[in-house]
Amino acid sequence: MTTADDMPALRRRTSAKWRTYPRDVLPMFVAEMDFPTPPAIKEALQNAIENSDTGYATSTDRGAAEAFADFAAQRWGWRPDPARISYTTDVSVVIVESLRRLMAPGDGVIITPPVYPPFFDLVVEAGGRVVEVPLLDDAASYRLDLPGIDAALRAGARGVLLCNPHNPVGLVHSREELERLSEIVAEHDGFVVSDEIHAPLTHHGTEFTPYLSVSDAARQHGVAAESGSKAFNLAGLKTALFVVDSEPMARWLEHLPEEVANRTGSFGLLATREGFRDSLDWLDETITAIQDNTELLEREVSEKLPGVVVRRGHATYLAWLDMRALGWGDDPAAYALEHAGVALSNGPMFGDAGKGFARMNLACAPETVVEAVDRLSRAAH
């Protein structure tokens, strides 16, 4: 069973999660895990240090690409050709560099709030214009607004930046919805950039569907952004994958500037390979721990924060909390930080649909979940 490091060990970490706020604040905001590094990754990195193997990464090393392809085949029934996988620093770079080449300056790109906050900025960084088509929300579940996406493309938007699975709500899009999305996009000669960084963290009992696996149309117009950074807690090692699955997109990928791949971290490539190849038992145990923490959070909130709703998803280690009943305003995370000493992610950063909500990181010890709810409850009462 995966267990989190103890609090003294966590406080010795120097990452953003542990250095952004004072020591009396419980950090449950940024998407970093409190779990120890998978043993296979730790051993590989230690061996590299012992060998002084700290030079430049080489984009011709197919180890990470092949490990990811094998993982995708085993877990999702889809094996992209490793020869059609290219490396870069992180998923944000995959998104920006893909958008720059799939659209013209000023083109509209659809995003689906509430959604990962950098999406708003990445579209602009790439030279595009954000077109919001919020998720449909019936208070029990979220789903893509496919008619809304169709209308936005008909009105001139060029493509879709998809979050799959969807951060922050943990929505795992169904194969049927993704097939229909691919048909809609193809009808408008558009494109899809699918951010699948959280896909390896799909919960047990739920099936994840890679966008490029759903249809020939998707393969002709889609690119997937893949990474082990969330699954194995590797964000600081800087490696992500461009994945395409058709000849036209492979030709497009070949024309990326060489420096896009050269910026990849050598330790990131090594850790990505070891994660997808030799850390799957660790990953499964981690998913179990996350699901256990989700159930614990639901019990604790029900008992101590009546009116607050945990909008449970089926992927990621992120909980989406409807805190409007507390009367803490549009940004309850700001109130929680000031009055409870709990750092959550600010709901409005995910779009207008996030007003009154906050996101909580559950990749932690159960005791941390209990303490966070206790602090929030004291602030509420």
Side-chain angles (χ1 to χ4, degrees):
M1 181 68 179
T2 301
T3 57
D5 284 336
D6 61 29
M7 195 57 68
L10 292 170
R11 292 289 181 191
R12 290 194 294 272
R13 294 186 183 183
T14 61
S15 62
K17 183 173 185 179
W18 297 99
R19 293 301 172 95
T20 299
Y21 295 105
R23 292 177 64 87
D24 59 341
V25 170
L26 199 61
M28 304 184 76
F29 65 113
V30 70
E32 295 181 21
M33 292 185 180
D34 293 354
F35 304 127
T37 301
I41 294 176
K42 183 179 291 187
E43 181 180 359
L45 294 174
Q46 288 172 336
N47 287 340
I49 292 291
E50 288 296 321
N51 292 329
S52 298
D53 190 8
T54 57
Y56 291 111
T58 171
S59 60
T60 58
D61 181 351
R62 295 289 84 197
E66 290 169 359
F68 172 76
D70 290 342
F71 172 87
Q74 178 183 339
R75 295 293 171 111
W76 307 327
W78 165 67
R79 192 180 194 279
D81 183 350
R84 291 175 172 174
I85 294 175
S86 184
Y87 305 132
T88 191
T89 51
D90 56 38
V91 159
S92 293
V93 173
V94 177
I95 291 170
V96 170
E97 296 296 338
S98 297
L99 291 177
R100 282 175 175 161
R101 286 155 183 83
L102 293 170
M103 67 177 197
D107 279 349
V109 178
I110 295 166
I111 64 173
T112 54
V115 72
Y116 180 53
F119 274 22
F120 294 88
D121 299 324
L122 296 176
V123 171
V124 175
E125 181 182 343
R129 172 176 49 85
V130 171
V131 177
E132 297 186 34
V133 181
L135 295 176
L136 297 176
D137 178 12
D138 63 7
S141 61
Y142 291 94
R143 67 183 189 279
L144 291 172
D145 181 358
L146 293 174
I149 291 172
D150 185 27
L153 290 168
R154 194 176 305 278
R158 185 72 185 88
V160 179
L161 176 52
L162 180 69
C163 202
N164 180 39
H166 196 99
N167 173 9
V169 304
L171 169 63
V172 179
H173 305 294
S174 70
R175 177 172 292 274
E176 292 73 22
E177 282 208 320
L178 294 177
E179 286 176 349
R180 180 57 188 143
L181 175 64
S182 73
E183 293 169 358
I184 291 169
V185 171
E187 289 168 5
H188 297 287
D189 193 26
F191 65 81
V192 171
V193 178
S194 185
D195 175 357
E196 301 182 356
I197 194 171
H198 289 280
L201 290 165
T202 299
H203 296 175
H204 300 312
T206 299
E207 180 180 354
F208 170 74
T209 302
Y211 181 73
L212 298 181
S213 74
V214 300
S215 68
D216 286 338
R219 288 183 280 276
Q220 293 297 315
H221 64 232
V223 55
E226 310 282 359
S227 178
S229 67
K230 292 294 178 277
F232 307 110
N233 207 39
L234 307 177
L237 298 184
K238 292 299 180 186
T239 292
L241 314 176
F242 291 87
V243 181
V244 297
D245 203 13
S246 68
E247 188 58 34
M249 295 303 290
R251 289 197 300 270
W252 164 84
L253 191 60
E254 289 173 356
H255 288 90
L256 283 173
E258 185 177 349
E259 281 303 312
V260 173
N262 288 346
R263 296 183 185 117
T264 307
S266 59
F267 279 9
L269 273 181
L270 179 62
T272 299
R273 184 194 72 199
E274 294 302 314
F276 285 123
R277 189 179 70 182
D278 293 323
S279 303
L280 303 191
D281 288 343
W282 182 95
L283 177 62
D284 287 338
E285 292 174 2
T286 296
I287 293 170
T288 297
I290 292 163
Q291 291 184 253
D292 288 347
N293 277 350
T294 303
E295 293 173 1
L296 173 63
L297 175 67
E298 289 175 331
R299 294 194 299 271
E300 290 289 304
V301 165
S302 176
E303 176 184 342
K304 300 171 183 176
L305 285 168
V308 173
V309 179
V310 180
R311 298 295 302 272
R312 187 169 189 174
H314 299 285
T316 83
Y317 49 75
L318 307 168
W320 188 233
L321 306 179
D322 181 349
M323 305 179 77
R324 289 174 290 184
L326 296 178
W328 290 0
D330 286 347
D331 188 4
Y335 189 96
L337 179 61
E338 180 178 356
H339 298 279
V342 178
L344 305 173
S345 293
N346 306 71
M349 291 175 60
F350 297 83
D352 286 344
K355 291 179 178 178
F357 288 74
R359 193 189 75 177
M360 177 183 283
N361 182 337
L362 297 180
C364 60
E367 295 80 8
T368 302
V369 177
V370 173
E371 180 179 351
V373 176
D374 284 345
R375 291 188 184 196
L376 294 170
S377 178
R378 288 194 294 270
H381 296 99

